[in-house]
Amino acid sequence: MVKPLISLVILLSFVLTQAQKEPQNTTNQKSDSLINPEFREYLGNGFFPTKYFNIDLRYLIKFNQYEGLRSGFGGETNSTFSNKFRVNGYIVYGFRDHNFKYSIGSGVRLAQKTNTWLNVSYTNDLEETGSSNYLTDKRIFQLFQPRLINIDLFYKHITKAITLEHQLGSKLLTATQVSRSNITPTFGYAYVMNDVPYSEYIVSKAQIALNWSPFSSFSFEENGIKEIQVGFPKLTLQVAKSFEGPLGGDFNFTKLDFKTVQRFGESKDHFSEVTVVSGLAIGNAPLTHLYHAYPNNITKETILQRFSVAGINSFETMYFNEFFSDRFVTLQFKHYLAPFKISPHYRPQLVLITRYAVGDMDNLNRHQNISFGTLEKGYTESGFEINKLLFGFGLSLSYRYGAYHLPEFGDNIAFKFTFNMSL
């Protein structure tokens, strides 16, 4: 199933790459220059625009180890339909688990200048165990999502949520959400509290997130505030509080999540980038709501058997489900060398990478029917990528060393291909 998916990505990337080339017909050059940038912006955000409805490309086709092939349809209404009200949703089907997943939501704009929206949603879907999502994260679209292919540890959730988005000044975006989720892990997991095992549970929580871009430039437009010049650092802070009792929740815990990205260098092609991500969970938090460290390696014997797709910010030599933490910090350093100018349209780029993670967990015995390690000794890997060798594809090589170095030399190596394409 994976090979046909990769073939489809190659075909789509070729088509999109051809669409980006400069028009040869000088008669139509003016009209193309007006249309193409806007269309590319829609595609870059993961939408194919129509008159009243933008099709969401994220839901067309995906693959993971639990659902197998996951395919469906989704989207949202656009400003032509209404600039004060919107409706969004999706429906997908997993061909291995034979289940539909879906979401439906709507929003009303309360203030145009501050892009303030009040949204409600109902979602019945899967989420990766140990993943953390920021409410204020800018929508990031990838034609091909590398880590998703090898993930097998999910939990089912039915979530009802109310969210308030508000731009507090041009450089500070805020989001507040209250939600209630019915959680069912897909892997026989149970969390033990007061000698009672919870294999299904309810999480009721309130969250607030802040995204600050102090050195970016913004403009006020009809549809809200738009970032016109990206500046660094970018900082994101999120606080979540789960309540036991009032809204029917089973657990009482608090989570603090922080992320920052800093870039050094004036050139858009030749620069260094540092990303720091940290998380802390206090209280009775089940494994589904704790942290992994973005692993992206599958458990197979040889290097070539593990050949897959490298992620963007993931640990390529860390095996899935190998480590979980209730507190952790990751540091990633990337240095982008200037592209090799082989031809005007063929410019591969070498990237040097080092990643480090440290974490720990209290009360390990509360997590039943699963085995994993912690990161208290510190995990390190280094390597390189050669990107954009063909239609956006490249190669990467990473090596695991330090405290968690494995006895078999080959088990510490991850050799993969990369996919990078800008619209």
Side-chain angles (χ1 to χ4, degrees):
M1 296 295 288
V2 179
K3 290 182 178 179
L5 182 63
I6 294 174
S7 299
L8 177 62
V9 172
I10 294 174
L11 177 61
L12 290 174
S13 64
F14 175 76
V15 172
L16 293 174
T17 301
Q18 296 302 309
Q20 293 178 78
K21 292 184 178 180
E22 291 296 326
Q24 300 299 318
N25 189 336
T26 56
T27 304
N28 298 326
Q29 187 168 0
K30 183 176 181 180
S31 60
D32 286 345
S33 66
L34 294 175
I35 296 173
N36 286 346
E38 182 180 358
F39 187 72
R40 284 201 298 268
E41 184 177 357
Y42 274 110
L43 290 179
N45 289 327
F47 288 109
F48 186 90
T50 64
K51 186 173 181 180
Y52 298 110
F53 186 81
N54 295 335
I55 299 171
D56 196 327
L57 302 176
R58 294 180 300 172
Y59 302 111
L60 294 181
I61 185 168
K62 291 182 181 180
F63 185 92
N64 62 65
Q65 297 301 311
Y66 181 79
E67 296 174 283
L69 183 67
R70 171 185 167 115
S71 182
F73 179 83
E76 66 179 25
T77 57
N78 53 38
S79 57
T80 305
F81 174 83
S82 174
N83 59 8
K84 297 181 179 179
F85 178 78
R86 63 188 179 193
V87 178
N88 61 278
Y90 66 84
I91 182 168
V92 297
Y93 181 76
F95 286 84
R96 179 176 291 173
D97 67 341
H98 306 293
N99 281 321
F100 284 98
K101 296 90 181 173
Y102 58 89
S103 179
I104 183 69
S106 63
V108 58
R109 173 178 268 168
L110 304 180
Q112 179 175 336
K113 186 174 182 180
T114 57
N115 203 30
T116 302
W117 286 85
L118 181 64
N119 309 301
V120 295
S121 63
Y122 180 94
T123 303
N124 185 337
D125 205 344
L126 298 173
E127 192 70 43
E128 181 189 1
T129 294
S131 60
S132 293
N133 300 313
Y134 292 87
L135 296 176
T136 55
D137 264 1
K138 179 183 177 181
R139 179 190 172 94
I140 299 175
F141 169 68
Q142 294 173 256
L143 180 64
F144 191 38
Q145 296 186 343
R147 287 191 67 255
L148 186 62
I149 288 180
N150 297 315
I151 298 172
D152 62 353
L153 220 60
F154 291 92
Y155 63 89
K156 301 176 183 178
H157 71 99
I158 299 175
T159 300
K160 305 167 187 175
I162 301 175
T163 308
L164 179 68
E165 302 172 6
H166 178 67
Q167 192 88 30
L168 191 64
S170 62
K171 301 179 184 295
L172 182 61
L173 174 65
T174 69
T176 305
Q177 184 182 89
V178 178
S179 63
R180 185 179 189 270
S181 301
N182 293 69
I183 307 294
T184 305
T186 63
F187 51 99
Y189 168 78
Y191 181 78
V192 177
M193 184 177 67
N194 299 327
D195 296 325
V196 178
Y198 290 81
S199 57
E200 297 181 1
Y201 41 87
I202 297 174
V203 173
S204 299
K205 63 181 177 180
Q207 301 179 84
I208 183 169
L210 307 171
N211 183 286
W212 187 37
S213 302
F215 298 105
S216 293
S217 298
F218 298 83
S219 66
F220 290 87
E221 301 184 356
E222 180 182 356
N223 295 325
I225 299 173
K226 181 179 179 180
E227 187 175 19
I228 57 175
Q229 184 175 351
V230 179
F232 294 91
K234 289 183 171 293
L235 303 100
T236 305
L237 174 66
Q238 182 165 283
V239 181
K241 174 63 177 176
S242 175
F243 298 97
E244 183 180 1
L247 297 175
D250 291 315
F251 304 127
N252 190 349
F253 61 83
T254 302
K255 290 182 67 176
L256 302 173
D257 296 284
F258 175 76
K259 176 174 64 176
T260 184
V261 181
Q262 174 64 291
R263 184 172 292 185
F264 304 94
E266 299 298 327
S267 172
K268 67 176 183 179
D269 294 325
H270 180 204
F271 59 90
S272 298
E273 185 175 273
V274 177
T275 302
V276 178
V277 179
S278 65
L280 171 65
I282 304 170
N284 286 302
L287 192 70
T288 51
H289 289 67
L290 294 182
Y291 306 101
H292 58 55
Y294 312 99
N296 192 33
N297 207 9
I298 53 179
T299 308
K300 291 187 178 180
E301 290 187 7
T302 67
I303 298 173
L304 291 181
Q305 286 177 329
R306 297 192 300 270
F307 185 80
S308 58
V309 194
I312 297 177
N313 295 313
S314 51
F315 282 75
E316 303 305 325
T317 62
M318 185 184 294
Y319 293 91
F320 279 93
N321 315 324
E322 186 178 3
F323 300 100
F324 289 96
S325 306
D326 60 18
R327 54 194 182 274
F328 84 111
V329 177
T330 66
L331 171 67
Q332 177 179 253
F333 174 80
K334 286 186 175 183
H335 180 65
Y336 293 76
L337 278 71
F340 302 106
K341 299 179 180 179
I342 298 175
S343 76
H345 297 292
Y346 186 60
R347 305 179 67 182
Q349 186 174 30
L350 178 65
V351 185
L352 307 178
I353 304 172
T354 292
R355 299 183 179 97
Y356 178 79
V358 61
D360 207 348
M361 181 182 289
D362 294 329
N363 304 312
L364 281 167
N365 59 336
R366 293 182 181 177
H367 306 281
Q368 300 294 311
N369 305 327
I370 186 171
S371 299
F372 56 86
T374 56
L375 291 164
E376 69 274 8
K377 297 178 182 179
Y379 186 104
T380 312
E381 73 174 25
S382 295
F384 64 87
E385 297 176 353
I386 303 178
N387 294 323
K388 302 178 182 179
L389 289 174
L390 181 65
F391 303 142
F393 287 89
L395 294 172
S396 79
L397 184 69
S398 302
Y399 181 70
R400 168 176 177 161
Y401 58 96
Y404 292 103
H405 184 270
L406 299 173
E408 292 291 331
F409 177 77
D411 292 341
N412 299 284
I413 296 175
F415 176 56
K416 305 179 183 182
F417 69 84
T418 65
F419 182 72
N420 294 273
M421 186 177 66
S422 301
L423 293 176

